[in-house]
Amino acid sequence: MLQDGRVPHALMFTGPEGSGNLPAAFAFVQYLFCQNKQAHDSCGICSSCLKVSKLIHPDLHLVFPIPVSKSVRTSNDLLPEFREVFLETPYTTVHDWFNSLDAENKQPIIPTDEANDILKKLSYTSYEGGYKIMIIWQPEKMNASSANKLLKILEEPPEQT
Ligand SMILES: [Zn+2]
């Protein structure tokens, strides 16, 4: 897809939980952003590759299920925690993610506030002048009102999004 310049605006990586779909999605993003693309993979050493591999690339946005509370309203509120867990265990599951937060008893959800935040983030121009990427881990954890808010942008996202 990348070599033919035909990257669709939405891709779904599916499979059993913990089977590597999330690391595969990040590897795809790293290849997309790489400044020195190799024949079949990213170079792994350019500044874009390094930023993606640490999950700190400014044009790579992340959404994941959260235990909603007064202090946790969107994924942004737990981004440092998520980075730590993912970088240590790329094949992590929602169960492990919630255990690491001591939130085993809470419901993992992607709430409506998050959907509003996704729309806002994707309306900005990209920081580095290329693609803007939104990775939504476990989109099935969205409630109906979040999912409905995202229909339009899924079908007709802005350029290079
Ligand atoms: Zn690179």
Side-chain angles (χ1 to χ4, degrees), residues 80-153:
E81 290 84 350
F82 182 82
R83 282 192 187 112
E84 199 180 309
V85 167
F86 175 78
L87 294 176
E88 198 171 300
T89 319
Y91 291 73
T92 196
T93 62
V94 172
H95 181 74
D96 293 341
W97 163 230
F98 267 52
N99 271 347
S100 77
L101 299 170
D102 289 326
E104 303 88 329
N105 300 323
K106 296 199 95 180
Q107 186 75 16
I109 66 161
I110 297 177
T112 313
D113 282 346
E114 188 81 60
N116 292 330
D117 214 48
I118 291 172
L119 295 176
K120 200 168 77 189
K121 283 177 178 160
L122 293 181
S123 71
Y124 300 150
T125 44
S126 76
Y127 287 91
E128 302 205 343
Y131 285 98
K132 278 176 291 180
I133 308 285
M134 176 67 66
I135 289 187
I136 304 177
W137 184 42
Q138 305 265 341
E140 61 270 35
K141 299 287 191 282
M142 261 181 235
N143 60 24
S145 93
S146 309
N148 285 332
K149 278 175 183 273
L150 296 181
L151 285 179
K152 186 169 180 295
I153 202 157

Side-chain angles (χ1 to χ4, degrees), residues 57-68:
H57 195 293
D59 293 317
L60 171 60
H61 304 286
L62 299 177
V63 164
F64 39 82
I66 52 170
V68 173

Side-chain angles (χ1 to χ4, degrees), residues 1-3 5-13 20-34 37 40-42 49 52 60 131 133-135:
M1 283 188 286
L2 268 169
Q3 282 157 2
R6 296 200 304 194
V7 181
H9 65 252
L11 281 168
M12 186 154 13
F13 294 72
N21 299 297
L22 186 59
F26 283 119
F28 185 84
V29 172
Q30 187 168 314
Y31 196 24
L32 188 72
F33 280 147
C34 181
K37 290 182 181 56
H40 302 290
D41 205 352
S42 54
C49 281
V52 173
L60 171 60
Y131 285 98
I133 308 285
M134 176 67 66
I135 289 187

Side-chain angles (χ1 to χ4, degrees), residues 30 33-37 42-50:
Q30 187 168 314
F33 280 147
C34 181
Q35 295 156 7
N36 186 24
K37 290 182 181 56
S42 54
C43 76
I45 53 175
C46 72
S47 64
S48 293
C49 281
L50 294 180

